[in-house]
Amino acid sequence: MLPQALAMSRSLPHASVLLLSVLLATGCASMSSARVDARAQSVRIQTEDGWNLAMRRIAPQGPVRGRPVLLIPGLASGDVSLVLDPDHSLAYWLAAHGREVWTVALRGTGDSDHADPASGRRSGYGFDTLWREDFRTALRTVRQSTGAEEVDVVAYSLGALLLYAYLAEDADGIGAAVALAGPTRLDRAGPWLKALVKVSDRFVAREDTLDMGFLSSLTAPVQAYLRGNPVERIALDARNTPRERWRRFAAHVFGELSGGVARDLIRMVNTGRFTSSDGSRDYRARLAHVRVPVLVMAGEGDQVAPVSAVRDGYLALGGPKAWRLLGTTEGLAVDYGHVDVVTGERAPYEVWAPLLEFLDRAAAGRAIQ
């Protein structure tokens, strides 16, 4: 795989390794060892610019309660981080509590189309393409397939930035939303990420396509079997995630990372601005006009999306909103890190249950807290 990985990018190998760390910062891992239940129905959709995306529909168990839910993963990610296995995943947990759940793999990941210039699928697309094309098409598909006028959206990590951008520019069709560990001030990331981005800035061009699968195959054994390794210390609170579950999570296979997306992330880290690729649209400023109820959740121990970086999005929102800090300050068992909000042993009780309660309250028109 090494020649293939290097052939797909003009970037130097160490720059790709740096970008792997950036990808971890976006919560973008997908697990090759994840077990998908027979209840998950595969669906193919097509964006307006001609890319085919893979979605999954998980039918609710028991009586349906509330609107359908669309789950959005991190950038450069398939959807498996949210469908880890039938026994412990946000998608199956929501379905078990009466919600019809849909997930989507963004372009270049999972079973969705990958860049192929010969077929008209050019590399170099940026952040704006992911929300204008992929997010919008997935949301439209859920609305059309279910007949629901409005859909609830739960977006994880930088997937939450896609949600924010859509809310800032459109917001049509969303009943309520949850932004889970989504930092809108990437300049508030730790010094380790800033240093990596500074070096990556020298080598990555918008037209590049980085195949992260080879790099993830190199790092997975360390992440899976060496407890306390640097990636684990940054990504989660190990006390909150059983080793076997972390092993499955760490046995991840990255999809493609577009150089355009990488350049947009680098710009956000360098400038602290949350804007469109050309800088003409200030998404943070436009969040003041959002009237969709939004719950923003941040892990108190998150070293990837620090509390202040996540709270920035909450403060920018102008409509009904709620804030929830996930940590010992609020009486929880641990200070949640970036990954254990979706893998943690107590996440169903301390993260997912409050998330669902918020969506239920919003759907019922009750006061948002």
Side-chain angles (χ1 to χ4, degrees):
M1 293 181 63
L2 179 59
Q4 177 185 6
L6 296 180
M8 293 186 68
S9 174
R10 297 189 304 100
S11 305
L12 299 180
H14 65 275
S16 297
V17 174
L18 295 174
L19 278 167
L20 175 59
S21 297
V22 175
L23 284 174
L24 279 169
T26 69
C28 61
S30 62
M31 285 56 66
S32 59
S33 56
R35 295 180 289 113
V36 179
D37 191 90
R39 287 174 291 159
Q41 173 190 358
S42 297
V43 178
R44 299 288 289 181
I45 64 175
Q46 188 174 77
T47 64
E48 290 186 0
D49 63 346
W51 289 60
N52 294 306
L53 306 181
M55 296 190 71
R56 299 183 222 259
R57 174 190 175 272
I58 303 175
Q61 294 183 20
V64 177
R65 52 176 280 191
R67 294 179 285 245
V69 179
L70 172 62
L71 302 184
I72 306 294
L75 296 182
S77 171
D79 60 348
V80 191
S81 55
L82 303 172
V83 195
L84 181 57
D85 61 52
D87 300 321
H88 192 95
S89 77
L90 177 56
Y92 285 107
W93 186 90
L94 287 170
H97 287 76
R99 291 298 187 108
E100 179 175 337
V101 180
W102 292 70
T103 67
V104 61
L106 304 175
R107 64 184 62 198
T109 69
D111 293 329
S112 294
D113 279 349
H114 292 237
D116 181 8
S119 301
R121 298 191 300 272
R122 295 186 177 276
S123 59
Y125 56 85
F127 173 85
D128 294 337
T129 297
L130 293 178
W131 77 259
R132 287 175 178 160
E133 296 288 344
D134 296 16
F135 182 100
R136 190 180 304 226
T137 303
L139 179 62
R140 181 172 60 245
T141 297
V142 177
R143 295 176 67 189
Q144 292 176 346
S145 298
T146 63
E149 291 187 9
E150 295 182 328
V151 173
D152 289 341
V153 176
V154 178
Y156 169 55
S157 191
L158 278 185
L161 295 192
L162 302 181
L163 166 66
Y164 281 139
Y166 180 82
L167 288 174
E169 296 294 313
D170 193 332
D172 184 52
I174 296 182
V178 178
L180 180 59
T184 53
R185 285 295 299 266
L186 297 187
D187 59 321
R188 294 178 182 172
W192 59 275
L193 178 57
K194 291 183 179 179
L196 293 173
V197 167
K198 183 176 181 179
V199 177
S200 299
D201 197 4
R202 300 173 53 192
F203 299 106
V204 179
R206 295 198 72 89
E207 62 269 21
D208 288 340
T209 298
L210 300 176
D211 181 358
M212 307 309 294
F214 172 72
L215 295 172
S216 66
S217 70
L218 293 179
T219 63
V222 174
Q223 296 178 47
Y225 298 111
L226 182 60
R227 296 312 299 253
N229 69 80
V231 171
E232 182 181 282
R233 289 200 302 272
I234 291 171
L236 80 163
D237 187 323
R239 297 170 299 171
N240 196 25
T241 300
R243 182 167 187 170
E244 174 59 21
R245 191 175 304 144
W246 175 236
R247 186 196 68 78
R248 291 202 310 275
F249 192 97
H252 55 276
V253 178
F254 286 106
E256 294 174 353
L257 173 65
S258 164
V261 175
R263 294 302 312 177
D264 287 339
L265 295 180
I266 290 170
R267 174 180 50 79
M268 291 180 192
V269 173
N270 288 338
T271 66
R273 300 186 67 206
F274 179 33
T275 65
S276 57
S277 296
D278 62 6
S280 65
R281 311 293 284 181
D282 188 332
Y283 297 135
R284 182 183 292 113
R286 296 176 69 85
L287 287 177
H289 304 290
V290 173
R291 293 297 177 261
V292 171
V294 180
L295 168 64
V296 180
M297 309 181 83
E300 191 169 358
D302 196 331
Q303 298 185 50
V304 174
V307 173
S308 66
V310 177
R311 189 168 176 81
D312 177 76
Y314 168 78
L315 294 175
L317 289 163
K321 59 185 178 180
W323 167 259
R324 189 172 184 89
L325 182 64
L326 305 171
T328 54
T329 298
E330 300 299 320
L332 305 189
V334 299
D335 293 331
Y336 277 77
H338 197 65
V339 174
D340 41 325
V341 296
V342 292
T343 64
E345 186 70 5
R346 295 187 58 83
Y349 315 102
E350 297 181 331
V351 183
W352 306 346
L355 178 159
L356 180 59
E357 181 183 3
F358 172 85
L359 296 179
D360 287 343
R361 291 182 67 88
R366 299 198 299 270
I368 301 303
Q369 301 175 349

